Amino acid sequence: MAYKVLVVDDQAMPRQLFENMIKSSDNYELVACIDTAKVADIYCAKYKIDLILMDVVMNDDSNGLDVAAKIKKSYPDTKIIIMTSMPDGNFLEKAKNIGVDSFWYKEVQDISMLNVMDITMSGDHVYPDQPPVVKLGLTDNTELTTRELEVLRKMIEGYTDKAIADELDMSYYTVRFHINNMLSKTGCVSRTDLAIKAVRSGLIVPDIN
């Protein structure tokens, strides 16, 4: 019997691609393609979904990760594959903490989604080792330390340097050091320039982490 699949993605082209892929496979049955995560749990209740392909960032501000956590609590046997084109490392870590079954980057296709689905339904998991590499000014995200990324995230969230220091349990001067170091690495002319580039690249996605 074919596994029942729900696709949750707010972009029309990926939805169409996933729909065609699923319909071409004898192992899967497409129940629906929807453009919001807000009603995904309703489909789980109504159709007894076996597998969900869930995007993270939706145009209606619904959060695929939050909904995945909710579904996992109510329907623990439903497998969930989180998929995203955003390289924000917090997505990957949060997905692991939630306990979703697999994770797939849309722009980095070392393994096809159909293979990820097969592996996931067999009871195994697929997780990338790290987020994809993206350019940030003169450098890329792999050249920024974990601490620098933490400071950058708080800066983008609107924290002052003093508030960042308090939040991350470091001195004000250490915060300034990390910010200046990132400006030097990236060649950004200001902290505002750095923040804009980080958000545009998808390295940091505010208001959803």
Side-chain angles (χ1 to χ4, degrees):
M1 186 172 65
Y3 295 115
K4 293 182 178 180
V5 182
L6 173 66
V7 175
V8 186
D9 196 311
D10 65 344
Q11 296 182 335
M13 186 175 293
R15 286 201 308 272
Q16 187 62 55
L17 291 173
F18 292 136
E19 180 177 347
N20 294 340
M21 175 193 69
I22 292 167
K23 287 182 176 179
S24 69
S25 172
D26 295 332
N27 296 327
Y28 301 98
E29 172 192 346
L30 181 66
V31 172
C33 284
I34 59 177
D35 61 2
T36 175
K38 291 180 179 178
V39 296
D41 58 329
I42 297 175
Y43 279 83
C44 290
K46 186 174 182 180
Y47 297 104
K48 296 182 180 179
I49 301 295
D50 297 304
L51 174 64
I52 301 173
L53 310 185
M54 180 85 77
D55 197 4
V56 179
V57 181
M58 309 280 175
N59 286 330
D60 65 352
D61 294 328
S62 57
N63 182 334
L65 286 167
D66 288 344
V67 173
K70 180 180 178 182
I71 289 173
K72 271 300 183 182
K73 289 180 180 179
S74 300
Y75 308 97
D77 293 332
T78 299
K79 307 288 188 182
I80 300 177
I81 300 173
I82 289 293
M83 53 189 187
T84 184
S85 59
M86 301 291 185
D88 190 324
N90 266 19
F91 290 173
L92 183 57
E93 290 306 312
K94 187 171 183 179
K96 290 178 179 179
N97 292 335
I98 289 169
V100 301
D101 301 274
S102 294
F103 194 103
W104 188 74
Y105 283 111
K106 295 179 183 179
E107 309 301 328
V108 184
Q109 301 181 18
D110 293 334
I111 180 172
S112 72
M113 173 55 83
L114 195 57
N115 284 342
V116 175
M117 292 164 64
D118 290 340
I119 293 169
T120 302
M121 295 313 298
S122 74
D124 288 330
H125 306 282
V126 177
Y127 271 98
D129 294 329
Q130 60 186 14
V133 176
V134 294
K135 291 297 293 182
L136 191 62
L138 300 177
T139 188
D140 58 54
N141 55 321
T142 61
E143 296 302 315
L144 300 184
T145 67
T146 300
R147 209 57 166 156
E148 287 171 346
L149 288 171
E150 290 174 346
V151 170
L152 180 57
R153 187 177 301 279
K154 293 302 179 183
M155 190 178 75
I156 289 171
E157 290 173 357
Y159 284 67
T160 65
D161 292 352
K162 184 179 185 308
I164 294 173
D166 293 339
E167 184 76 11
L168 298 180
D169 193 25
M170 61 176 66
S171 73
Y172 168 85
Y173 298 103
T174 301
V175 172
R176 292 298 306 163
F177 171 80
H178 285 313
I179 293 174
N180 289 332
N181 211 27
M182 286 187 284
L183 291 174
S184 176
K185 288 179 180 179
T186 62
C188 292
V189 297
S190 67
R191 57 192 295 149
T192 300
D193 183 33
L194 174 62
I196 290 172
K197 283 184 169 64
V199 171
R200 284 180 176 172
S201 70
L203 178 61
I204 305 290
V205 180
D207 301 325
I208 197 169
N209 294 285

